[in-house]
Amino acid sequence: MNQISQKLSIKEKIGYSLGDLAANLVFQTLMTYLAYFYTDIYGLSPTDSSIIMLIVGLIAAFIFNPIIGVLADRTSTKWGKFRPWILVTAIPLGCVALLAFSTPNFSYHGKVIYAVITYTFLLLFYASNNLPYSALSGVITGDMKERNSMSSYRFVAVMFAQFFVQVFMLGIIKSAGNGDKAVGIEKVMTVLAIVGTIMLLITFLTTKERIIPKPEQKSSIKEDLSDLVKNKPWLIMLSLTTLVFITLAMKGGSYVYYFENYVNKEELALFIQPILDTLSSIGLNHFGNDPVAAGFGLFNAGGIIFMIVGITLSKNLADKYGKRNVFGTFLFISTLFILAFYFFPAGDIPMIFISQILHGFFYGITIPILWAMIADVADYSEWLNNRRATAIIFSAMMVGLKAGLSIGGSLTTLLLGSFDYVPNSAVQTDTAINGIKLLVSVFPSIPFLVGCGLLCFYKIDKKMEVQIESDLKERRN
C-alpha cells in the first residue's frame, strides 16, 4: 500500500463532511417525513405506504448495496476507487430526490406506481453515492485517531442537516406553500437538491484516497463474500446498524404524528412562546405561526443541539475507553429517555422537551462511533485476511441503514393503520393516540436494547484496536 502521510488537513475533513451533510438532506427527509408525506400529503393509505417503504427498501438494502459495494471495490481510476462514484451520482441523486417528493395529479393507482418508481430510483442513487462515500472514510487515512477526528467533523455536519430538516422544514413547507404542503415540499426539495449537489462536488474535489491496495491483494467476489461470512464483527455491525436505524426511522417518523395528534396545543403554545419571543429578539423568526410546527421544530432543535455536544465528547471517550464500550454504554442510557415518552401526559411539555434533550446528548456520543467501528471492521478484515475490501465491508452499514430505514418506516405506517389512525383527522380515537405514544417510546426502544446486547459479542475492543493499527502500519511500511 502507499505509505504517505496519514494526517488530514482541516480543509479535507470539512470537505469530506460536506458529503454527509448533502446525503443527510435526503436521508433525514426520508426518515422524518416520508411516512407523513405518503399518508398526509400525497394521499396514500397507511397500508400502501407501508408496503412501498418495506418492499422497495429491502430490495435496495439487499440487492442495490451489495452490488454497488462489489463494483466500487473493483473501480480503478486516476481519482481512486470511491471518489468517482461521488462525482457521477451527485446530479442524479439531487434530481430524483425532488421527483420522489413531488405530487403529480395522477389517479390513486398512478400515484402508487409513481411512488414505487421514484422511491426505487432514489434509493438506488443514494446507495451509489453514499456507500462509496462511506467507504472513502476507510481509505482516506489509516490513522485511528485521525479517523475518529474525521468522524466527528462528519457527524457535526450530519447534525446541521438534521437540524434544518427536523427544526425548520415543517414550518418552511407550510409557509412556502401558503398552507399547501404539497406545493411547499416541492419548493423546499428543489433548493435542497441544488445545494446538496454542490456539496457533493466539493467533497470530490477536496478529498484524497491514501490507502491503495497492492495489485497482488486483489481478490475475487467469492473471496470477498467468504471473508464477510467469516467476519463475526462485520455480522454484528450489520445487525447492530439495522437495529439502530429501525429505531431512528420509527421514532423520527412518528414525532410529527405525536405533535399533531397527541401533544396539547394550548400548553405547547404557552410553553414555546417565551422561547419564540427570545429568538425573535435576536432576529430568528423562522419557526412560523403554527404552534405545532414551531413546537415540533424547537423540540427537535433541543435534541439536535445536545447531540452536537455529545458528538464533541465522542472522540476523546472513544480514544480513551475504546469504541465498543463507549457506544454500548451511551446507547443504553439514551434508550431510557425514549422509553420515558410513554408516561408523559399530553400537557407536560417541559418533561417532553427535557427527555428529548437528554436522549439527544447521550445518543450523540454514539453517532460518530458507529461509522468509525465499520472502518475498524474493514481494518480487521485486512488484518485477518491480508486483503482489503473496503466498500463491501461498508455495504454492511448501507444494508443495515436501508433495511432499518425501510423496516422502521414501514412499521410506523403499518402500526398507525392497525391502531385505526385516520390521516388529516381533527380527532383521533383513544386507540390511535395510544398507538402514536407507543411509536415514539416503547416500540423504538426495543431495537436499541437488543443492539446493546449484541455488543457483548463484538470483540474489537480498545486493546485489539491498538494491535490492529500497529500491525497494519508495519505491513504497509
Side-chain angles (χ1 to χ4, degrees):
M1 301 207 180
N2 287 357
Q3 183 61 27
I4 58 179
S5 174
Q6 300 292 304
K7 298 295 182 182
L8 304 180
S9 67
I10 292 176
K11 174 185 175 182
E12 187 167 6
K13 291 176 184 177
I14 293 174
Y16 179 75
S17 70
L18 288 179
D20 226 9
L21 185 104
N24 269 270
L25 291 175
V26 175
F27 177 72
Q28 294 295 333
T29 302
L30 288 176
M31 191 167 64
T32 307
Y33 293 111
L34 184 64
Y36 181 70
F37 171 75
Y38 279 160
T39 60
D40 287 44
I41 299 177
Y42 194 49
L44 300 183
S45 72
T47 301
D48 288 338
S49 301
S50 177
I51 292 171
I52 292 169
M53 295 167 70
L54 181 63
I55 293 178
V56 175
L58 292 181
I59 289 172
F62 292 101
I63 297 179
F64 295 166
N65 285 290
I67 290 174
I68 298 300
V70 167
L71 292 175
D73 269 329
R74 284 157 181 77
T75 299
S76 180
T77 73
K78 64 180 180 180
W79 297 312
K81 287 179 175 294
F82 308 126
R83 291 172 62 237
W85 288 80
I86 298 171
L87 174 65
V88 170
T89 59
I91 294 175
L93 178 60
C95 292
V96 76
L98 171 60
L99 292 174
F101 285 91
S102 297
T103 54
N105 188 24
F106 296 151
S107 66
Y108 185 85
H109 184 64
K111 285 186 173 183
V112 170
I113 294 173
Y114 181 84
V116 170
I117 293 172
T118 54
Y119 191 42
T120 299
F121 276 99
L122 177 58
L123 294 188
L124 173 61
F125 283 115
Y126 185 86
S128 301
N129 179 275
N130 201 244
L131 196 156
Y133 169 83
S134 299
L136 181 60
S137 71
V139 297
I140 284 181
T141 178
D143 187 301
M144 292 287 189
K145 290 188 177 180
E146 284 294 288
R147 190 175 286 166
N148 289 344
S149 174
M150 183 176 63
S151 290
S152 295
Y153 273 81
R154 173 184 181 180
F155 285 100
V156 168
V158 170
M159 290 301 102
F160 278 112
Q162 186 175 348
F163 195 86
F164 171 79
V165 171
Q166 295 188 8
V167 175
F168 298 118
M169 194 163 165
L170 183 60
I172 293 174
I173 287 170
K174 292 182 176 181
S175 176
N178 293 318
D180 187 332
K181 289 179 283 189
V183 173
I185 199 166
E186 286 186 20
K187 289 182 177 179
V188 171
M189 291 305 296
T190 300
V191 175
L192 295 189
I194 295 170
V195 171
T197 298
I198 293 171
M199 288 179 175
L200 288 169
L201 295 176
I202 292 173
T203 296
F204 168 78
L205 293 170
T206 56
T207 53
K208 180 181 179 67
E209 297 184 23
R210 293 173 177 80
I211 299 177
I212 304 171
K214 295 177 182 178
E216 62 267 25
Q217 290 190 17
K218 288 185 177 179
S219 57
S220 67
I221 295 174
K222 182 179 179 181
E223 286 174 320
D224 285 352
L225 295 176
S226 177
D227 290 347
L228 287 182
V229 172
K230 297 174 185 176
N231 190 332
K232 290 182 180 179
W234 180 84
L235 293 171
I236 290 171
M237 290 308 298
L238 169 60
S239 302
L240 178 63
T241 304
T242 303
L243 291 166
V244 166
F245 281 95
I246 288 174
T247 290
L248 296 182
M250 194 180 298
K251 73 181 183 66
S254 300
Y255 283 146
V256 65
Y257 296 103
Y258 184 73
F259 271 79
E260 292 211 334
N261 298 280
Y262 176 68
V263 173
N264 185 292
K265 295 177 177 58
E266 291 75 20
E267 293 292 336
L268 178 63
L270 289 173
F271 179 80
I272 66 173
Q273 194 57 54
I275 303 174
L276 293 175
D277 290 342
T278 301
L279 293 173
S280 180
S281 68
I282 58 175
L284 297 177
N285 301 300
H286 306 291
F287 289 94
N289 298 318
D290 184 337
V292 171
F296 178 70
L298 291 171
F299 168 82
N300 286 321
I304 294 168
I305 289 169
F306 279 84
M307 275 187 192
I308 294 172
V309 175
I311 286 173
T312 64
L313 302 176
S314 180
K315 177 183 180 298
N316 290 336
L317 288 170
D319 287 345
K320 186 172 183 179
Y321 299 107
K323 299 180 185 70
R324 181 194 67 179
N325 295 343
V326 173
F327 187 92
T329 299
F330 290 103
L331 186 69
F332 177 77
I333 295 172
S334 73
T335 306
L336 301 179
F337 295 102
I338 299 175
L339 276 169
F341 276 93
Y342 185 75
F343 303 99
F344 297 141
D348 196 353
I349 310 302
M351 287 307 300
I352 290 172
F353 274 65
I354 289 170
S355 191
Q356 172 72 346
I357 285 170
L358 292 173
H359 165 69
F361 171 73
F362 289 112
Y363 178 67
I365 294 172
T366 74
I367 291 174
I369 298 175
L370 182 65
W371 293 84
M373 287 168 74
I374 288 289
D376 290 352
V377 169
D379 285 347
Y380 172 80
S381 179
E382 179 186 353
W383 177 73
L384 192 66
N385 303 300
N386 205 31
R387 294 189 300 272
R388 190 171 188 90
T390 309
I392 199 166
I393 294 290
F394 270 85
S395 70
M397 178 65 77
M398 293 296 105
V399 168
L401 186 154
K402 294 288 177 53
L405 176 65
S406 302
I407 295 169
S410 176
L411 283 173
T412 299
T413 52
L414 183 65
L415 289 168
L416 282 171
S418 71
F419 285 108
D420 301 324
Y421 171 77
V422 180
N424 294 308
S425 175
V427 179
Q428 300 288 347
T429 64
D430 291 341
T431 301
I433 294 297
N434 188 55
I436 291 170
K437 288 174 62 180
L438 289 168
L439 275 167
V440 298
S441 58
V442 177
F443 292 153
S445 297
I446 295 170
F448 264 18
L449 293 175
V450 175
C452 291
L454 275 178
L455 285 171
C456 297
F457 303 96
Y458 181 81
K459 63 183 180 181
I460 305 179
D461 57 9
K462 176 64 178 175
K463 182 179 178 181
M464 183 174 278
E465 285 179 27
V466 174
Q467 181 183 354
I468 291 172
E469 180 180 13
S470 175
D471 289 350
L472 289 180
K473 277 184 179 179
E474 185 176 343
R475 289 184 198 175
R476 292 164 185 166
N477 282 331

